[in-house]
Amino acid sequence: MKKLIEGILEFRSKVRPEVKDTFARLALGQSPDCLFIACSDSRVVPNLFASTHPGDLFVLRNVGNLVPPSDPSGRSTADESEASAIEFAVSALGVRDIIVCGHSECGAMKALLAGKAVAGAPNLSSWLRHGDGARARLDRDGPAGAGIAPHDRLSQISVLEQIEHIKTYPLVQRAIDEGKLRVHGWWFDIAEASVLHYEEADQRFALIDEREGTRLLEMLSAEGRS
């Protein structure tokens, strides 16, 4: 708590004078570029590794960056929080992109591998069921790629599983079909401070370095997207 209060004081004295006009403008409304779904893990800081500014991201964070799927009517099969964030981002804010971002050394994935039972935490144990599909896929296909731990491989597979869950929401699938929305999979390697993205063509997570980043930007430009 002491660190937070000291941080606020530092913000007021050093940062606030430079960003006050920006926040005054944002007070009138927001138009974020994307919905960013990330884990609650304190080591995952999207605004830092993506160098974004206030107003750029509409962020949804929870344990394990999990998204309960919807039923045919579009209602969440579990907690409504994730579903409401998706609905608000797509229908009210008109985001053009949704990013599901997993990460290395994820405690949720380790718990999922261990059988989901977390002593004294019945809600957490139940919540992890939304990763069951990813766990089943890992058990079926086995770990892929040398040098990646099983829990990290599960984290990557879970990113893809959550994307499929997101697509079960009718308004999401409709926006995708109309070319108004794209859904992406990212993965943050904490130890390397590096971001990888899922490359559909190669069916693998590729490092976003200077070369890959340039290629992605050229693709966006060719599609007329910002």
Side-chain angles (χ1 to χ4, degrees), residues 37-83:
I37 302 174
C39 183
S40 298
D41 194 298
S42 63
R43 300 166 295 181
V44 179
V45 189
N47 293 96
L48 179 62
F49 64 67
S51 301
T52 53
H53 302 288
D56 288 345
L57 302 179
F58 189 70
V59 181
L60 167 64
R61 302 187 70 156
N62 61 42
V63 175
N65 47 272
L66 302 174
V67 179
S70 81
D71 64 19
S73 72
R75 291 185 176 275
S76 173
T77 56
D79 188 88
E80 296 175 344
S81 177
E82 287 71 29

Side-chain angles (χ1 to χ4, degrees), residues 7 95 102 123-124 132 137 171 174 186 196 204 207 212:
V95 298
N123 293 293
L124 175 57
D132 284 348
R137 180 171 165 183
L171 84 165
R174 184 165 55 250
W186 283 14
L196 293 77
R204 68 183 182 90
L207 175 67
E212 182 67 7

Side-chain angles (χ1 to χ4, degrees), residues 158-218:
S158 182
V159 166
L160 306 182
E161 185 76 10
Q162 305 317 310
I163 287 175
E164 293 308 309
H165 288 182
I166 290 170
K167 291 179 179 178
T168 63
Y169 289 86
L171 84 165
V172 169
Q173 191 59 59
R174 184 165 55 250
I176 292 173
D177 293 341
E178 294 173 353
K180 298 178 180 178
L181 179 69
R182 298 192 308 181
V183 186
H184 315 267
W186 283 14
W187 195 74
F188 181 59
D189 186 330
I190 294 174
E192 296 295 327
S194 295
V195 180
L196 293 77
H197 80 105
Y198 185 70
E199 182 58 56
E200 187 73 39
D202 297 330
Q203 295 189 336
R204 68 183 182 90
F205 281 85
L207 175 67
I208 304 180
D209 56 11
E210 287 73 13
R211 180 177 179 180
E212 182 67 7
T214 298
R215 186 185 73 83
L216 293 173
L217 289 172
E218 290 174 348

Side-chain angles (χ1 to χ4, degrees), residues 22-38:
T22 297
F23 279 102
R25 173 177 53 82
L26 290 172
L28 303 177
Q30 62 171 321
S31 56
D33 299 318
C34 78
L35 167 61
F36 199 99
I37 302 174

Side-chain angles (χ1 to χ4, degrees), residues 111-163:
L112 193 56
L113 272 180
K116 295 188 297 184
V118 182
N123 293 293
L124 175 57
S125 299
S126 177
W127 171 251
L128 293 176
R129 73 189 185 279
H130 302 299
D132 284 348
R135 172 63 194 270
R137 180 171 165 183
L138 177 69
D139 291 341
R140 182 182 68 247
D141 300 340
I148 184 168
H151 58 269
D152 285 343
R153 178 57 182 161
L154 177 58
S155 176
Q156 293 183 345
I157 292 174
S158 182
V159 166
L160 306 182
E161 185 76 10
Q162 305 317 310
I163 287 175

